[in-house]
Amino acid sequence: MQTLSDFLRNSDTSTELQQLLITLADCGVEISALVRGGALAGVLGATESENVQGETQKKLDVIANDLIKDKLAAQPLVKALASEEEDYVVAGHADGQFLVSFDPLDGSSNIDINSLVGTIFSVLPAQDGVDGEAAFMQPGRNQVAACYMLYGPATVLALTTGNGTLMFSLDPSDNQYKLVDAKVTVPEQTAEFAINMSNQRFWQPAMQQYIHDLLLGKEGPRAKNFNMRWIAAMVGDVHRVLSRGGIFTYPQDTKNPAKPFKLRLMYEANPMALLVEQAGGIASTGYETILDIEPTEIHQRVAVILGSKQEVEHCLSYHK
Ligand code: AHG
Ligand code: MN
Ligand code: MN
């Protein structure tokens, strides 16, 4: 079976990007081990208590963030990084050619219940003479790579460098990622949707109507029954979409008027949108293609509707 390194070496990926991707993949191996052995680390950490040595025990998402930050700091190819867990852009190496945005631990509320979590990375090209947050203000279309690691019963790595989406599985016998799907393809049609139904009353009319029609099943305008799934970790839901299709959405809502959107553009929506598009799916806000959004800040949030092409298009038809 082809390892990730073999695959990259035989691809047309630049040696620099190969090197960076191996570093990101290594972060996944280490976080995977922490998650596995250390649901304890996360649970204890949630209390922010001190251990016997007087050190603060940190939440697993802070531990994962520090681990990635340290690994990327040692990587001269990285000019700057942006993380969900960092208020500001962290400077790297002045002549680095890549900007890395990441969600160190996605779905962190799942840690306490031993359920799915993952890590999401987005890689943008650095631009000469543009530093700090401004450097990251590029549409997702510019991403040179996107990937996530999902720490489930198996640890998997989904990767795109803009030439299709690939799936690797971490082999516990040698800690190597092995290629399991060289051409991930999202089926165009689906009968499965993912949305946090508890927010129903806060959605906009378009989403209300779309979900209402799905729920009517065979007797309704869609004339088929739909099934629902919600993992509460975007990595888990997107992985299901890449594996067997589906529509995943976290739409705009009015639950907290100060926060109409939940998911973050730079390290959740953009990388997942590229992975889904490269597998034949679609990713939109309802009104705009995710990858075409011109960002205005590193932590900005957006509505996300992604997945099987025909189903997402159907959902978008309610937004016209
Ligand atoms: P994070 O743990 O990185 O903050 O992200 C959680 C996100 C996303 O992964 C998931 O789809 C969504 O929040 C779940 O939201 P609800 O808690 O509203 O279900
Ligand atoms: Mn997240
Ligand atoms: Mn997170």
Side-chain angles (χ1 to χ4, degrees):
M1 257 183 171
Q2 216 177 3
T3 64
L4 174 65
S5 329
D6 290 343
F7 165 78
L8 289 171
R9 214 172 309 116
N10 298 324
S11 72
D12 55 9
T13 311
S14 71
T15 48
E16 291 83 3
L17 185 55
Q18 288 185 35
Q19 220 178 306
L20 176 64
L21 292 174
I22 294 293
T23 305
L24 303 186
D26 284 348
C27 294
V29 175
E30 292 194 23
I31 297 168
S32 170
L34 286 171
V35 167
R36 237 167 263 313
L40 283 182
V43 171
L44 291 176
T47 64
E48 290 285 312
S49 59
E50 277 189 356
N51 67 14
V52 280
Q53 290 125 65
E55 298 161 352
T56 305
Q57 291 171 319
K58 292 180 262 179
K59 281 186 189 169
L60 205 48
D61 40 15
V62 176
I63 296 174
N65 182 60
D66 290 349
L67 189 153
I68 296 170
K69 230 172 48 170
D70 290 351
K71 276 227 190 289
L72 292 185
Q75 176 55 268
L77 294 164
V78 179
K79 185 166 180 191
L81 52 92
S83 163
E84 181 194 347
E85 305 299 337
E86 301 284 337
D87 290 348
Y88 306 104
V89 163
V90 178
H93 299 262
D95 47 6
Q97 47 178 285
F98 301 115
L99 305 168
V100 182
S101 310
F102 56 95
D103 181 348
L105 205 71
D106 178 62
S108 33
S109 73
N110 279 351
I111 280 287
D112 294 344
I113 59 164
N114 196 24
S115 190
L116 295 183
V117 290
T119 300
I120 310 171
F121 288 105
S122 159
V123 184
L124 286 166
Q127 292 160 317
D128 284 344
V130 195
D131 295 309
E133 185 159 349
F136 286 81
M137 301 300 103
Q138 309 179 41
R141 193 68 69 193
N142 283 13
Q143 289 170 104
V144 292
C147 63
Y148 67 74
M149 294 84 184
L150 173 69
Y151 313 119
T155 288
V156 295
L157 164 68
L159 169 70
T160 182
T161 53
N163 187 19
T165 293
L166 299 105
M167 197 67 69
F168 297 83
S169 192
L170 185 65
D171 185 343
S173 71
D174 60 4
N175 256 351
Q176 292 282 332
Y177 291 96
K178 309 276 169 75
L179 183 62
V180 289
D181 191 350
K183 192 180 189 312
V184 175
T185 309
V186 178
E188 290 201 1
Q189 296 187 39
T190 183
E192 198 161 55
F193 69 102
I195 191 166
N196 185 338
M197 283 296 295
S198 69
N199 295 327
Q200 181 169 28
R201 67 192 182 284
F202 302 111
W203 302 332
Q204 308 273 290
M207 191 54 78
Q208 292 274 3
Q209 192 60 48
Y210 167 69
I211 297 292
H212 172 262
D213 288 353
L214 290 191
L215 294 175
L216 291 175
K218 260 201 162 89
E219 290 73 40
R222 301 301 306 277
K224 68 173 178 182
N225 292 331
F226 281 79
N227 188 24
M228 198 200 87
R229 287 287 184 271
W230 186 252
I231 293 175
M234 190 190 196
V235 271
D237 283 308
V238 170
H239 187 68
R240 186 186 58 257
V241 166
L242 291 180
S243 303
R244 67 177 187 209
I247 180 168
F248 163 87
T249 177
Y250 211 116
Q252 178 172 359
D253 64 51
T254 56
K255 197 172 174 179
N256 173 358
K259 210 179 87 178
F261 312 109
K262 170 105 190 215
L263 299 175
R264 276 64 53 104
L265 176 64
M266 304 302 289
Y267 39 82
E268 290 177 323
N270 270 341
M272 294 313 206
L274 192 62
L275 287 159
V276 166
E277 267 202 14
Q278 287 293 318
I282 296 185
S284 170
T285 63
Y287 304 97
E288 199 178 356
T289 301
I290 301 263
L291 294 177
D292 291 336
I293 298 173
E294 295 282 349
T296 52
E297 45 179 320
I298 49 167
H299 297 298
Q300 89 188 67
R301 296 171 189 261
V302 285
V304 173
I305 307 170
L306 62 76
S308 291
K309 187 166 182 292
Q310 288 185 24
E311 193 55 42
V312 174
E313 278 168 353
H314 193 86
C315 179
L316 296 183
S317 72
Y318 288 73
H319 292 74
K320 294 253 156 68

